[in-house]
Amino acid sequence: MAVEVLEPFLKGDTGRNTRGLLRLIILCTIAAAAVASRLFSVILDPWFNFRATKYLVQNGFYSFWDWFDDREASHPVAQLVYEPRKPAEEPKRTRTWHPLGRVTGGTLYPGLMVTSGIIYHVLRFLSMPVDIRNICVLLAPGFSGLTAFASYLITSEMTTSPSAGLLAAIFMGITPGYISRSVAGSYDNEAIAIFLLVFTFFLWIKSVKNGSAMWGALTALFYGYMVSAWGGYVFITNLLPLHTFVLICMGRYSPRLYVSYSTWFALGTLASMQVPFVGFLPIRSSDHMSALGVFGLLQLVAFVEFIRQQVPNKQFQTLLRGLIFVVFVVSMGVLVLLTVSGVIAPWSGRFYSLWDTGYAKIHIPIIASVSEHQPTAWPAFFFDLNLMIWLFPAGVYMCFQQLKDEHVFVVIYAVLASYFAGVMVRLMLTLTPVVCIAAALAISSILDTYLVAENPIPKETQANGQATSDSIKSAADVIKDSLRSTRNPVLGIYSYVSKASVVGAVTTYLLLFVLHCTWVTSNAYSSPSVVLASKLPDGSQHIIDDYREAYYWLRQNTPDKAKIMSWWDYGYQIGGMADRPTLVDNNTWNNTHIATVGKAMSSREEVSYPILRQHDVDYVLVVFGGLLGYSGDDINKFLWMVRISEGIWPDEINERNYFTARGEYRVDDEATPTMRNSLMYKMSYYNYNALFPAGQAQDRVRGSKLPAEGPQLSTLEEAFTSENWIIRIYKVKDLDNVGRDHGSAVAFDKGNKKKKTAKRRGARVLRVE
Amino acid sequence: MKLSGVLSLTLLSSLCLGAKRSSGGTFENYHAKSQSYAPLRLDDASYDELTATPRNHSVLVLLTALEARFGCQLCRDFQPEWDLLGRSWAKGDRHGDSRVLLGTLDFADGKGTFQKLMLQTAPIFLLFPPTSGRNAKPDGQPIRYDFTAGPQSAEQVVGWMSRYLPDGPKPAVQRPLNYVRIITVTTTLLGVLSFLSVAYPYILPVIQNRNLWAGISLITILLFTSGHMFNHIRKVPYVAGNGQGGISYFAGGFSNQFGMETQIVAAMYGTLSFATIALALRVPRMSDPKRQQLAVFIWGGVMFGMYSFLLSVFRIKNGGYPFHLPPF
Amino acid sequence: MRWFVSLLLITLLGLVQGLSSTGSRLLVVIEESSEKAQYSTFWDDLEGKSNNCRGYKLTFESPKNDKLSLFQHGERAFDHILLLPPKSKGTSFYTITGDVDLPSSGLGPALTPKLLLQFINQNGNILLTLSSDSPTPTSISSLLLELDIHLPPDRDSLVVDHFNYDTASASEKHDVLLLPQGSRIRSDVRNYFGGDGTIAFPRAVAQELGNSSPLLAPILRAKSTAYSYNPKDEAEVVEDPFAVGEQISLVSSMQARNSARFTVFGSAEALENKWFDRKVKSVDGRDSKTANREFAKQITAWTFMEVGVLKVGRVEHHLSSITGDAPGNDSVAQLGYLNPTIYRVKNDVTFNIEISEYSYDQLTPLKVDASDALQLEFTMLSPYHRLDLVSISQTPNSTVFSRTFKLPDQHGIFSFRVNHKRPFLTNVDVKREVTVRHFAHDEWPRSWEISAGWVWIAGVWITIAGWVAFVGIWLWSEPAYEQSKGKKMQ
């Protein structure tokens, strides 16, 4: 790694300019490395964001703002009434969320699209005609380079050691935990959000340090940008107030803090309310209440401080007590009142499920069902941030060494983020920056200690400890004792042997880290989700391309307006690759609609068919891994469908009925009647045992033998089954032409005719008309 | 009702009377009883009388086995909830507008019924819908409710009932105030407050002790980064035996783990970071070159060995992980 | 203009190739060509040799014929089928429908129930005639069972009526029913079989229509005194007859969802020449001429799509604000505001549909009964509006129905739907999908237009003014204080 090779020169007596230049070069190379390491494979996903961006670029910002997404890009809303258009007989249109449509402007975070839109127009202005698609593909890597730079800045705020920032930058650049969400073509909100996160934190630190309104305003600005880009902004919204609160509790209130926080809160809240999707949440929902409360507290403290300067101490104490007590009681009362009266919304589900970890599974299965929302096992941590995971605590410990405001921030961030990352895999993303910072602190302090060429002269290495200026005093006089390990002064390392050994070891670790990152990125995070790669026994790689096969089949063999019903995981892909309207897609903003699909999948044909007709579904698509042993199929997701629909129709769907008496989830002979009659089961196993000799049908995922005779379908007919049976597509039959029910129609086609109803028992039915 | 009347004309008059009484007065009698003691304690006879068709009321029977020798923990856990539900229902609907009766049939009192229904498990709810009168169900078959999801709260049961019951008053569950608890809480709070106010000068330095906070935050971080929340949410076993009697400390597979495993991992992380801290902060502050040399080697060795062990453990979890350090 | 020309064209085509709106290739399945003579008048009427030109091209085929096939290259080889009962008793064909339980089962390999059903599914019309003195092939009866039409279980049972029979021909057997020409089954149903003649129905086979299928409708029902029995084994006493009274349907119709028509005609004999014009004498002594010929014409006309065929012309919808004047003028189309793909919630929208009815030889404007209505649904998952369409104008051969209404306050993908299904009329199911979008950001009323918002607006401006004033005062307050303050602040 380039950094510590260059380290001696930077420490040497060469002038500042040389060092600055070197630093710049290093940063550029780091950014280049960060970008390059994300180009292993390119596949654009998710499609929706790309479509939205295209729409934005084509029709301008305002019509994007008002976009009603029925997946027909031909009519921007604004120009409809004013411009005459050719009378469209039956325009080609494919839609999402059929038939509800989607008020896109109000239900998405526009930051991502607007960013790439701006880049696009800037490039056009510079007379560089670039396809918007390329911008979308390369946006995430580009921003990861910026993220590296931002983490350099923020780390440089933490310590005086110049190497720490560079280390943090390279860590941030190549750590898998961040690459996982920012490979080329992963065009999702996180692509820019992480940069915004880190940079906002940097600005916040800066403003707290300098107490300047300018930095505070900049923080607010980027906070607003963050709000417009990612739902995770709530993390910032709660972290900054927490930092302020802790500082106040530590008795570290200072005008700097007051200025920066007030500026940030006022401007930031206003900025965040400009996003339609957020709207009035910042003053209505409990997620944002902490910021408001701390704001109030800060005003209070500031006022108290002001008074302290005016009145003598004795009266002041009583006044202070009384004041604080009264205000506290009043504000609490008001808050409770508002929450009870419902003016302030309770915690939003996703956020609440972070605190009460059992909550989501019971109340909002739709959130719990997402794989990203599962808790994180320890290998995932090690996998994503290899050696940094154990450098991390060390770095945090070093923050305690000279506990300045920014260090407090890092500590809080570290604790909170590691909790969140433990609860949700997805939030590993928010943990990664602080891990990089802390790890960089740790490594750099080792290297700075052990990479001193000549034998120690205390003064020189002392620079580490006390280079900091006035603000440490404010810290020092509050907290008397420092860390036990840093009581006695720094002397340095005496023997070259130890220097060499430690440096060698650390270098080895770092090289290993680089290798690890490369390996992880090339193996785990760069395989597109639509193409499955499997290792054959002989070790060669076998590509399973059923998804695209099926989507292209749909694209070429179904009418343009055919509505496809599938579980929502595949919505974007069907919309994008097959270009057909779907009932639900990955944007899970309408629970009821998804539950409807779940109900159709998990009930009997007689119940499902009316639902399918009502939503005029033409084709139903299921994913079935039984033949290949592909475990991510719909039968394994089935219970979530059941749960979600049970949440809406508790007395029609009951999860219990899908388990055997002994509470097992089975698909073989033991399977419950409800299970075996459910549409999902039938569609998955229809005709499946035709592949095997009689009675030998085998499900390779569940590892169980299937019933001797397969399920019968009467209201659907098999339309397509992909090569490895991963995708199965069924066509929904129309009503019978001569008014029979489907069952008897199928029976008739099979050749067994109705027996003559020679003597009908009981009272005969008379025809009224 | 009418049908039974027609039948009764042709049948013996005594039967007729019996039929009439059973369909007419039953609810009133039992409802009167239930006002004094709810839920009703049934035995075979009263159970049959209550659930005899035709009936113009709904019956909810809890079939349970309370005696210790059956060792039905679930029954005993649920019983207080059930009593509470019964009481609040009786209180909520004094005039029996809901025409619902709640009864408990203990195995001790109703062996016959248990055998008749061929029940192996307890507790079980049976909800008998009315078969005559308004909103009657043609088939008197009871709706069954198993305790598959562990012990239920009274509210959950009421919610389940009211889904199947005809519309009518459905008194909500009122939990009695637990005065003892309130008093204890308040006293303890006051005690703590007073203690704090007294001991404030002594506590303050402790609170402001950096080492304390450093320790706390490091421990929490180690706890979370070693996947403790996963254990907490997924309720993983502490350790599991491998096939041949021994204990397997590390669960196979990338995405599952044991409780002990996480502790081991946390320990490893802790050691590693402690070694780092020692190398970075302790060692350069040592005045004696020899001891410093020694310390460097010790800590460096510890770090190296531990890291290689960590890598080897990770290879267990994730087969095909190519990297490793000697010696492990 | 385009639509008018097309209508004209259709009309001309109709004139050229007979009356039927779907085609004129008629297959007559008759077992022995010797019997053709008995129906000669009927054939002439169909071919239109005589008075009017109905111009069907008749093809006589025997079910025995192996080369007979309803389909050619997967398409219908004929437009209509007329099935006459197999005369010969006991002659047996093995059907390939998989059942060999009865020897005298089928009509041969070309006319299995499957094929006949397929013929219907491909918009072919079938007129099936039964006769009591020849057994109904099981393939036919099983086909009828599929359509929920039930025949007497035992062969050669027939319908008698001791109060309405022809004393002249059936003085003993009472098996020639005399019925007044059809009366409408419901008040709001179009009656294509009306008239004041008397129909003679000799030796009819009773049919009973199931209650489930909405596609069935009786055309001619027996009198309440009629019943069906088997002269062979129920000669003395009849208990539990197959069907009695009005439940007996002598001529019944099934119109499939694709509007293909299938008619069961109870007595083939009634179509023979001898019954076409013949004196009959009713019980109360009045004697009259049979109207069988007229009735046969009506039945075939309906079955072979000469009447009761609805055609949908223009379907258009537009913002009603665009055209104040009556729709139907071409300015709308030229402006290009016609049939936009998207509307906004709460728009006022006008929907026009033009429907014409084909009767015998030309398209006539459709008239909807006063007791009935042509309805428009504006639906997404479930109808948000269901409105009666009113006829606003009439062209020589079509009626334009229209309705103006305000879209619901719900965005989504809606569809205008006209779903008009009535007995004896072909089904109309027109569906036009449109998107209904939400208010755009600049379509809401401005803040100052909402009087309730004035308080807040005032608040905002006062705050701003106050702040400016405060800054002013702050800046112009005396410098010494400012400096000291500044010191404190740092």
Side-chain angles (χ1 to χ4, degrees), chain A residues 21-34:
Chain A
L21 180 63
L22 275 173
R23 240 171 251 161
L24 192 65
I25 294 169
I26 294 171
L27 276 175
C28 295
T29 34
I30 286 175

Side-chain angles (χ1 to χ4, degrees), chain A residues 345-505:
Chain A
W347 294 90
S348 64
R350 276 170 206 272
F351 199 69
Y352 188 71
S353 60
L354 282 178
W355 300 114
D356 178 357
T357 48
Y359 176 85
K361 193 156 183 287
I362 307 165
H363 296 88
I364 30 179
I366 190 127
I367 288 178
S369 70
V370 183
S371 65
E372 286 177 332
H373 296 160
Q374 305 309 318
T376 319
W378 76 266
F381 280 100
F382 189 79
F383 192 72
D384 277 350
L385 352 126
N386 152 288
L387 84 159
M388 295 196 289
I389 197 61
W390 53 267
L391 288 176
F392 177 40
V396 173
Y397 182 80
M398 287 170 194
C399 287
F400 279 92
Q401 184 181 356
Q402 28 157 305
L403 197 60
K404 288 190 289 181
D405 298 355
E406 55 268 30
H407 298 117
V408 176
F409 180 78
V410 171
V411 171
I412 298 168
Y413 184 8
V415 174
L416 272 187
S418 48
Y419 170 77
F420 289 149
V423 174
M424 272 193 198
V425 175
R426 168 179 212 203
L427 292 179
M428 181 76 77
L429 213 50
T430 54
L431 175 65
T432 310
V434 71
V435 169
C436 292
I437 295 168
L441 286 179
I443 286 276
S444 70
S445 72
I446 287 188
L447 291 176
D448 293 350
T449 319
Y450 288 83
L451 269 178
V452 184
E454 69 279 7
N455 269 357
I457 306 138
K459 180 171 53 60
E460 200 263 7
T461 38
Q462 210 71 347
N464 279 357
Q466 279 133 19
T468 54
S469 58
D470 51 343
S471 68
I472 185 154
K473 272 189 227 71
S474 65
D477 56 26
V478 174
I479 296 183
K480 311 286 182 304
D481 56 343
S482 75
L483 291 174
R484 279 177 58 250
S485 57
T486 57
R487 293 255 170 72
N488 34 17
V490 176
L491 303 171
I493 308 301
Y494 293 94
S495 74
Y496 288 106
V497 185
S498 41
K499 290 182 185 175
S501 59
V502 170
V503 171

Side-chain angles (χ1 to χ4, degrees), chain C residues 373-439:
Chain C
L374 183 69
Q375 288 190 313
L376 166 70
E377 284 179 357
F378 192 67
T379 164
M380 176 182 74
L381 296 185
S382 60
Y384 281 63
H385 283 305
R386 187 181 281 121
L387 309 162
D388 289 357
L389 286 164
V390 292
S391 90
I392 53 165
S393 71
Q394 271 195 5
T395 64
N397 42 20
S398 70
T399 318
V400 176
F401 296 89
S402 169
R403 182 71 187 229
T404 300
F405 62 100
K406 185 185 280 297
L407 297 186
D409 188 2
Q410 159 71 44
H411 61 75
I413 293 139
F414 285 78
S415 53
F416 296 98
R417 186 149 190 235
V418 176
N419 184 2
H420 191 68
K421 296 197 170 78
R422 297 289 181 270
F424 305 130
L425 283 178
T426 52
N427 301 329
V428 173
D429 189 353
V430 177
K431 201 172 178 184
R432 291 284 185 275
E433 276 191 344
V434 292
T435 302
V436 177
R437 65 172 173 87
H438 58 294
F439 279 102

Side-chain angles (χ1 to χ4, degrees), chain A residues 66 68 70 75 77 85 91 93 95 99-100 103 614 616 736-737 740 749 753 760 764 766-767 769, chain C residues 99 121 142 146 186 208 210-211 216 221 242 247 257-258 336 341 412-413 431 433 435 437 441:
Chain A
D66 305 329
F68 181 73
D70 58 356
H75 55 68
V77 170
R85 296 192 6 259
R93 54 167 62 175
R95 292 167 169 141
L100 302 176
V103 183
Q614 188 190 23
D616 44 32
D736 182 51
N737 188 30
R740 303 166 294 181
D749 292 341
K753 299 208 257 31
R760 268 154 298 144
R764 68 173 49 171
L766 296 185
R767 194 174 168 90
E769 73 170 18
Chain C
D99 67 324
N121 291 346
S142 65
E146 287 298 317
R186 263 200 339 248
E208 202 178 37
N211 223 348
L216 296 173
R221 278 184 295 201
F242 166 70
Q247 288 299 309
R257 293 188 196 279
N258 63 354
T341 57
I413 293 139
K431 201 172 178 184
E433 276 191 344
T435 302
R437 65 172 173 87
H441 72 285

Side-chain angles (χ1 to χ4, degrees), chain A residues 374 400-401 492 495 516 656, chain B residues 148 210 234 284 292-293 321:
Chain A
Q374 305 309 318
F400 279 92
Q401 184 181 356
S495 74
H516 173 90
R656 180 71 189 83
Chain B
T148 47
R210 259 190 221 193
R234 291 288 172 81
Q292 188 189 50
Q293 186 77 51
Y321 182 67

